[in-house]
Amino acid sequence: MVPCFCSLPPPSTSISKFISDKPYLTMLDKNCTTMKDLQKIHAHLIKTGLANDTIAASRVLAFCASTVGDMSYAYLVFTQIQNKNLFTWNTIIRGFSQSSTPQNAVSLFIDMLVSSPVQPQRLTYPSIFKAYAQLGLAHDGAQLHGRIIKLGLEFDPFIRNTIIYMYANCGLLCEAWRLFDENVDFDVVAWNSMIMGLAKSGEIDESRRLFDKMWTRNQVSWNSMISGYVRNGKLVEALDLFGKMQEERIRPSEFTMVSLLNASARLGALKQGEWIQDYIRKNKMELNAIVVTAIIDMYCKCGSIDKALQVFDTAPTKGLSCWNSMILGLAMNGCENEAIQLFSRLESSNLKPDEVSFIGVLTACNHSGLVNKARDYFSLMTETYKILPSVKHYGCMVDVLGRAGLLDEAEGLIRSMPVNQDAIIWGSLLSACRKHGNIEMAKWAANHIIELDPSESSSYVLMSNVYSASSHFEEAVEQRLSMKKKQIEKEPGCSLIEVDGEVHEFVAGGRLHPRAQEIYSLLNELRLILRENIA
């Protein structure tokens, strides 16, 4: 696919003739599709001296800054351009704003303001607002918004849409609402930004209200609403909305399918997930690394590990995320040895394990009780791969040590952590103390949980269980009474099961299910049968 140089003004006759007279520039425009192609053409431009021409260099820069390019190479090209014009500045800034390092777009914009004779114009600003949105720095972006107002550009639709996107994406909804008027604004881009921002901030019902009110919806509108439902745990609603999307004959994108696969994974809806994979296959949708990872993750979370492995083994492209999802999926489904073997295969591949890879292999060690192997992997991560352990890695190690009864070592590891402990890691130690009957250390861990979150119920419940397991029944009751006195309630357990393609939700002690009476009746019968068999 030939990249689109959408920010280049319509070429004049002289520019068109200049390009058509230079075979390598024509090749760049019409035949260059990869960075390998670009580098060959660029080498010829350098040899002939044409690379010093601003028009030729701008064409090279535009390709490098596109989605199929390389921003490091693009920056090198940019630094070599002697007479940088507005197009070259806009191109490099836009490229970085869409990359994994949007902070470089902001730095270049500041350089442009301070040291360049070329000053920003209306097409420069949207990229900077997008960069601020990616960085989550809407408060800094608000200062640039002030500059826009002073320049009289606040009503430019392109700029205004990106400002709304920045505020909405960063959760500054009051600021976004000031710019957005649902009664007069018919720009679908602004509506999509508000729908996405509201959903991201947990305002899912308000997000749906806007979605239903839209005069015209595009593919992004549907994707934003479906992913918003998934983000907010409204998984059944996400699947229902996809049904309406099909009724309106809106073709979903791979982003839609990834959201639906995530919903199926969290629901444990295997049949729904299989149907989505079939839909992807039948409609010949691109099986990129993101889609493949979502399919693997869905099968793993639905307990269908064989199908996950089949997808992994036959995937046309395997990104690191695919490997990580498969390693963690194996570890979580009782295939610890296979997870460790797959990690070894990853090390032998052309990819390097990252922090997520090590969470997967440490989880495998935890579930199989391989204490020494866990220690080895932790050292490998820090010493060989130079990865700084996060609280999740420490949590895995505390789990491994705690399950093995090595409570003193687990406590020492927590004390030595250079990162702040969270309630989860203290909860792991507290659970281990319960298992091994260490009341004093359990008290110490429980106090830390309460300090971090006084309303968290787990410390009281686990501490009560520690006392009960050690026959300290009065102290166990005191923990429960303390919870009641402080009005701390334990959230009831919840489980989901798919039957004939329909997902059923059950809450501990709940009776809201339409067939609750039949279910409890059957459970009572099973209880009687078990008692008779035991007797």
Side-chain angles (χ1 to χ4, degrees), residues 429-491:
L429 182 62
L430 183 49
S431 296
C433 292
R434 175 199 172 193
K435 180 180 177 182
H436 298 285
N438 191 326
I439 293 177
E440 291 306 312
M441 191 180 290
K443 286 180 183 177
W444 180 66
N447 287 335
H448 279 285
I449 296 174
I450 293 168
E451 284 177 15
L452 288 167
D453 187 356
S455 63
E456 173 58 51
S457 64
S458 63
S459 58
Y460 296 95
V461 174
L462 286 170
M463 201 64 225
S464 176
N465 292 340
V466 169
Y467 283 129
S468 295
S470 303
S471 300
H472 291 71
F473 299 113
E474 288 185 12
E475 290 87 343
V477 171
E478 284 177 9
Q479 291 293 315
R480 300 283 180 172
L481 291 173
S482 180
M483 274 182 69
K484 191 172 182 180
K485 185 178 179 182
K486 295 176 182 178
Q487 296 183 329
I488 297 172
E489 293 186 4
K490 180 182 180 296
E491 189 173 335

Side-chain angles (χ1 to χ4, degrees), residues 394-403 405-415 417 421-449 462-463 466:
Y394 282 106
C396 289
M397 286 303 300
V398 169
D399 263 347
V400 173
L401 297 169
R403 289 189 183 199
L406 302 171
L407 299 181
D408 290 334
E409 186 177 347
E411 179 192 354
L413 184 65
I414 293 174
R415 288 183 183 276
M417 282 172 59
Q421 304 98 337
D422 61 8
I424 295 172
I425 203 165
W426 289 114
S428 296
L429 182 62
L430 183 49
S431 296
C433 292
R434 175 199 172 193
K435 180 180 177 182
H436 298 285
N438 191 326
I439 293 177
E440 291 306 312
M441 191 180 290
K443 286 180 183 177
W444 180 66
N447 287 335
H448 279 285
I449 296 174
L462 286 170
M463 201 64 225
V466 169

Side-chain angles (χ1 to χ4, degrees), residues 226-442:
I226 289 171
S227 65
Y229 271 135
V230 175
R231 180 192 292 272
N232 286 272
K234 303 269 189 178
L235 309 176
V236 175
E237 288 87 342
L239 296 173
D240 288 344
L241 189 59
F242 177 64
K244 291 183 180 178
M245 186 180 185
Q246 286 186 296
E247 289 173 9
E248 296 194 18
R249 300 188 181 279
I250 306 295
R251 181 176 172 81
S253 69
E254 62 267 25
F255 299 108
T256 318
M257 308 320 289
V258 168
S259 292
L260 294 170
L261 286 164
N262 290 339
S264 300
R266 289 168 63 180
L267 284 168
L270 178 59
K271 287 185 179 179
Q272 183 72 51
E274 288 174 333
W275 183 89
I276 294 167
Q277 188 194 6
D278 285 340
Y279 184 95
I280 292 169
R281 188 187 300 115
K282 287 175 183 176
N283 288 273
K284 295 182 172 53
M285 299 180 80
E286 184 187 357
L287 277 175
N288 58 34
I290 297 171
V291 175
V292 171
T293 301
I295 296 171
I296 291 169
D297 184 61
M298 180 273 297
Y299 278 126
C300 288
K301 287 179 177 172
C302 291
S304 187
I305 200 70
D306 290 338
K307 287 193 175 181
L309 279 168
Q310 185 181 0
V311 173
F312 177 82
D313 290 334
T314 58
T317 54
K318 291 187 186 73
L320 184 57
S321 60
C322 300
W323 288 84
N324 290 345
S325 186
M326 196 67 250
I327 291 167
L328 189 58
L330 287 165
M332 297 299 290
N333 281 275
C335 304
E336 295 87 0
N337 291 332
E338 290 85 347
I340 291 168
Q341 289 168 12
L342 190 60
F343 181 85
S344 298
R345 279 175 56 192
L346 171 60
E347 285 192 286
S348 303
S349 73
N350 60 347
L351 297 170
K352 281 186 178 180
D354 65 359
E355 59 273 8
V356 181
S357 315
F358 279 98
I359 288 173
V361 77
L362 287 172
T363 300
C365 294
N366 180 18
H367 288 189
S368 54
L370 299 173
V371 178
N372 290 331
K373 211 162 187 64
R375 291 189 185 115
D376 292 340
Y377 281 126
F378 198 82
S379 298
L380 179 72
M381 177 179 70
T382 55
E383 295 172 14
T384 303
Y385 289 100
K386 307 300 180 186
I387 296 171
L388 291 174
S390 70
V391 69
K392 290 183 179 179
H393 297 106
Y394 282 106
C396 289
M397 286 303 300
V398 169
D399 263 347
V400 173
L401 297 169
R403 289 189 183 199
L406 302 171
L407 299 181
D408 290 334
E409 186 177 347
E411 179 192 354
L413 184 65
I414 293 174
R415 288 183 183 276
S416 69
M417 282 172 59
V419 294
N420 292 331
Q421 304 98 337
D422 61 8
I424 295 172
I425 203 165
W426 289 114
S428 296
L429 182 62
L430 183 49
S431 296
C433 292
R434 175 199 172 193
K435 180 180 177 182
H436 298 285
N438 191 326
I439 293 177
E440 291 306 312
M441 191 180 290

Side-chain angles (χ1 to χ4, degrees), residues 161-228:
N161 284 345
T162 52
I163 297 174
I164 291 173
Y165 171 75
M166 176 192 69
Y167 284 136
N169 188 66
C170 296
L172 299 182
L173 297 178
C174 290
E175 288 79 357
W177 276 116
R178 288 193 189 103
L179 293 172
F180 176 79
D181 187 342
E182 62 184 272
N183 295 314
V184 297
D185 198 332
F186 301 116
D187 190 322
V188 71
V189 176
W191 283 77
N192 290 343
S193 294
M194 291 302 298
I195 287 167
M196 175 275 300
L198 287 163
K200 193 174 179 181
S201 298
E203 301 283 344
I204 191 65
D205 292 335
E206 182 67 4
S207 180
R208 181 59 189 266
R209 185 187 69 79
L210 279 187
F211 177 83
D212 289 338
K213 192 175 178 179
M214 290 181 76
W215 286 38
T216 304
R217 303 186 190 101
N218 60 13
Q219 195 181 65
V220 176
S221 313
W222 290 90
N223 288 344
S224 298
M225 196 65 243
I226 289 171
S227 65

